[in-house]
Amino acid sequence: MHILHVVGARPNFMKAAPVLRALAAQSGIDQTKLRQTLVHTGQHYDAAMSQVFFQQLEMPEPDCNLGVGSGTHAQQTAGVMLAFEPVLVERKPDLVLVYGDVNSTVAAAQVCSKLGVRVGHVEAGLRSRDRSMPEEINRLLTDQLSDLLFTPSADGDENLLREGIDASRVHLVGNVMIDTLVRLLPRAEEHFPADLSSPYALVTLHRPSNVDDLPWLRELLATLVDLSGELNIVFPVHPRTRQRLDDLGAGTATNSRLRLLDPLPYLEFLALQRHAAMVITDSGGIQEETTFLGVPCLTVRENTERPITIALGTNQLVGRNLQRLRAAAGEIIARASSPELQNREVTASHRVPLWDGHAAERIANIIVRGSAH
Ligand code: UD1
């Protein structure tokens, strides 16, 4: 069996890494049975957004890089389709695995379905029900085109069944991103910055709804400056956000308690999440990681495709409402100053069913043997 993986953007890498490993372990059982090919679309290309993740996650070098790069949604999606089609024709895999909800994901799934190649979608079924988000369009289309749908939580199964997808194609396997976290958390501890004192808040913002609206971004930044009067703030800045902050003339507008950093590698960022008093974010994956770590998370969005992180985890939607953000942060600071929370252990680890470090093994078992066990 020949399995081809397609990755392209930063959040794909920590999802694909455990699946590559789990399938390699399967092929160790019978070397001749399984071959893997890794294709990088080049959607993310800066070393800090891509290469460093391959190193830290101990992923193999991609067998080919499509070099698609940045562009409009149509340019990027079409670019991946045009460059991927000949690769697929030449390599002839039995199954293509696509990850998450980025433009590379939907582009690769479309090429496969037109050429009659089976597709498996890892992280299927998540829905924000907000079609103004490009990722929601990517999720809907990728799931409709996929032959195997691997869901992280039961809400994903329900969404897929409601959309008419046959239950026999859907497999509840758990969260592959948590597989990577479980494996690398002990190593991450060595990567905590020596010069950072607690308590601190960790911030990431990169959604177009937050960073492409410059008046809103200016207010958001002012709220963070205000919050830095109460605790240190560390803000690793995504390239998209960096451009917008530069447009605002705020690229360097910090004080000694609000630090704007370049994007961080996986281990450094995980260490910062682990010990943060709170995380303020608009990322999807970070809502999940903080839930696993038991770290309070304030999500600056009106909705989430990961409602399980609210129902069973530590996530709170504050919407586009800076008073709510400020009030929720204030409550967390008040709670965090209690002594028992200062030495918080990882408490939430198995709060969400199947977020246990073994999701990729279930995927590999289903692909190779037809069942998760
Ligand atoms: C993409 C995904 C988003 C994911 C995010 C994680 C889509 C539709 N969006 O958004 O779901 O949460 O990745 O990062 O696929 N840039 C660089 N260097 C890079 C990559 C990008 O400078 O290595 C800059 C470019 O100016 C580019 C901009 O960032 O135009 C946005 O990159 P793009 O891949 O279009 O989308 P993201 O915002 O990263």
Side-chain angles (χ1 to χ4, degrees):
M1 187 188 263
H2 178 195
I3 297 168
L4 186 150
H5 306 253
V6 180
V7 294
R10 182 170 63 176
N12 289 161
F13 307 139
M14 41 294 234
K15 295 168 192 168
V19 182
L20 281 154
R21 292 171 81 85
L23 284 166
Q26 289 276 351
S27 72
I29 298 164
D30 179 351
Q31 298 284 347
T32 55
K33 264 192 180 165
L34 211 123
R35 183 151 66 92
Q36 301 197 71
T37 299
L38 181 58
V39 173
H40 192 320
T41 66
Q43 177 173 346
H44 284 176
Y45 43 84
D46 286 347
M49 298 293 286
S50 178
Q51 199 186 350
V52 70
F53 288 85
F54 275 70
Q55 286 157 3
Q56 290 197 339
L57 302 173
E58 299 161 312
M59 290 171 74
E61 285 284 313
D63 296 282
C64 76
N65 190 317
L66 307 179
V68 168
S70 302
T72 65
H73 287 278
Q75 285 166 345
Q76 205 169 50
T77 310
V80 172
M81 290 180 72
L82 284 171
F84 182 52
E85 188 177 53
V87 173
L88 194 62
V89 169
E90 187 200 320
R91 306 252 176 179
K92 298 186 180 54
D94 300 297
L95 175 70
V96 172
L97 289 180
V98 297
Y99 296 84
D101 56 15
V102 302
N103 285 343
S104 300
T105 311
V106 70
Q110 281 190 78
V111 175
C112 292
S113 63
K114 293 283 177 72
L115 288 177
V117 177
R118 279 163 60 76
V119 191
H121 184 204
V122 178
E123 198 188 84
L126 300 185
R127 296 289 181 271
S128 65
R129 299 191 168 71
D130 175 0
R131 292 201 184 185
S132 69
M133 285 180 74
E135 292 81 3
E136 184 72 356
I137 310 294
N138 296 345
R139 292 180 201 114
L140 281 159
L141 297 178
T142 304
D143 285 341
Q144 282 297 331
L145 298 176
S146 294
D147 301 279
L148 288 170
L149 297 104
F150 300 110
T151 57
S153 48
D155 55 296
D157 296 50
E158 287 162 25
N159 291 332
L160 295 173
L161 298 186
R162 201 177 304 125
E163 288 167 19
I165 290 171
D166 196 280
S168 64
R169 286 154 60 193
V170 180
H171 302 274
L172 175 57
V173 293
N175 191 324
V176 287
M177 204 160 184
I178 299 300
D179 289 6
T180 294
L181 188 158
V182 167
R183 183 170 76 88
L184 293 178
L185 188 58
R187 214 175 300 168
E189 292 293 342
E190 298 153 26
H191 292 253
F192 190 80
D195 59 342
L196 180 66
S197 57
S198 290
Y200 64 89
L202 176 63
V203 176
T204 81
L205 297 165
H206 75 282
R207 295 261 160 243
S209 59
N210 278 325
V211 304
D212 290 356
D213 176 349
L214 292 189
W216 167 253
L217 182 61
R218 185 184 284 114
E219 285 181 51
L220 201 45
L221 199 62
T223 304
L224 296 178
V225 170
D226 175 51
L227 191 60
S228 71
E230 292 184 52
L231 80 177
N232 289 318
I233 298 186
V234 195
F235 183 175
V237 182
H238 186 282
R240 171 192 283 279
T241 312
R242 176 66 73 184
Q243 286 168 10
R244 301 300 177 269
L245 289 175
D246 289 345
D247 293 344
L248 277 182
T252 52
T254 55
N255 58 44
S256 61
R257 302 195 59 177
L258 168 56
R259 289 198 220 169
L260 300 188
L261 309 177
D262 287 333
L264 289 172
Y266 181 78
L267 294 171
E268 281 75 359
F269 189 79
L270 180 55
L272 282 177
Q273 279 195 86
R274 166 76 177 85
H275 296 285
M278 76 186 85
V279 177
I280 298 171
T281 191
D282 56 13
S283 152
I286 293 170
Q287 296 170 47
E288 300 180 334
E289 290 171 340
T290 48
T291 273
F292 185 87
L293 293 168
V295 173
C297 178
L298 301 179
T299 298
V300 189
R301 284 176 45 189
E302 296 291 345
N303 48 57
T304 178
E305 61 289 336
R306 292 159 162 99
I308 197 100
T309 60
I310 298 175
L312 300 184
T314 55
N315 189 22
Q316 208 181 319
L317 286 185
V318 294
R320 274 171 68 95
N321 182 327
L322 295 172
Q323 281 77 34
R324 268 176 73 189
L325 172 61
R326 195 61 189 82
E331 278 172 32
I332 293 167
I333 292 166
R335 268 190 279 137
S337 52
S338 75
E340 71 269 23
L341 279 179
Q342 289 184 346
N343 292 317
R344 179 186 52 228
E345 290 304 316
V346 175
T347 51
S349 43
H350 296 294
R351 238 182 236 175
V352 182
L354 301 179
W355 291 21
D356 59 0
H358 300 288
E361 289 161 34
R362 291 182 201 105
I363 291 174
N365 279 332
I366 289 163
I367 290 172
V368 176
R369 301 195 199 127
S371 121
H373 307 289

